Amino acid sequence: QVQLVESGGGLVQPGGSLRLSCAASGSIYVIYGMGWYRQARGKERELVATTTSGPSTNYADSVKGRFTISRDNAKNTVYLEMNSLKPEDTAVYYCNADIEAVLVGRKNYWGQGTQVTVSS
């Protein structure tokens, strides 16, 4: 059984920084793409940043230059470094991963979400 567990959310003032982590566990063969999405209250879930198993990354225009996605393949973990946070970054942040696992094959997984609140 594969699980994605996020951590690192919280309350931060505008202009501040947070680092989110998402660790994948279970009987994993291969992790392909990993990424972060967010959903603000009353809005649809949107892409924040994604990364492949290689160096390729992709960012939403709204976070380019402020957020950085990185990945530790040895730890099956993806990170999201968030700087210069704005109130409009307030949302529940979800980890997403494309994983091939034992007896399951290749599936897409979501974490449980972690709340990020940017407020003074």
Side-chain angles (χ1 to χ4, degrees):
Q1 183 178 358
V2 173
Q3 285 188 316
L4 300 180
V5 179
E6 300 131 334
S7 60
L11 173 64
V12 63
Q13 291 187 341
S17 299
L18 280 176
R19 187 190 195 211
L20 304 183
S21 300
C22 171
S25 63
S27 300
I28 297 170
Y29 277 139
V30 178
I31 300 179
Y32 299 97
M34 299 187 83
W36 292 93
Y37 292 72
R38 67 186 181 187
Q39 187 167 19
R41 187 175 301 177
K43 294 187 177 181
E44 294 186 354
R45 191 172 299 189
E46 63 177 4
L47 179 148
V48 176
T50 60
T51 181
T52 66
S53 56
S56 177
T57 58
N58 179 51
Y59 294 93
D61 287 343
S62 60
V63 306
K64 282 181 181 177
R66 300 188 297 122
F67 290 11
T68 302
I69 189 169
S70 62
R71 181 169 166 173
D72 186 335
N73 291 324
K75 295 182 179 180
N76 290 340
T77 299
V78 63
Y79 305 96
L80 186 68
E81 186 75 35
M82 305 185 292
N83 298 314
S84 302
L85 282 160
K86 304 175 181 180
E88 51 263 44
D89 294 317
T90 296
V92 178
Y93 284 69
Y94 295 92
C95 177
N96 177 269
D98 184 11
I99 296 174
E100 185 169 351
V102 176
L103 300 179
V104 177
R106 186 170 177 173
K107 286 182 62 177
N108 191 260
Y109 294 87
W110 291 94
Q112 81 283 359
T114 185
Q115 177 71 45
V116 172
T117 302
V118 184
S119 175
S120 56

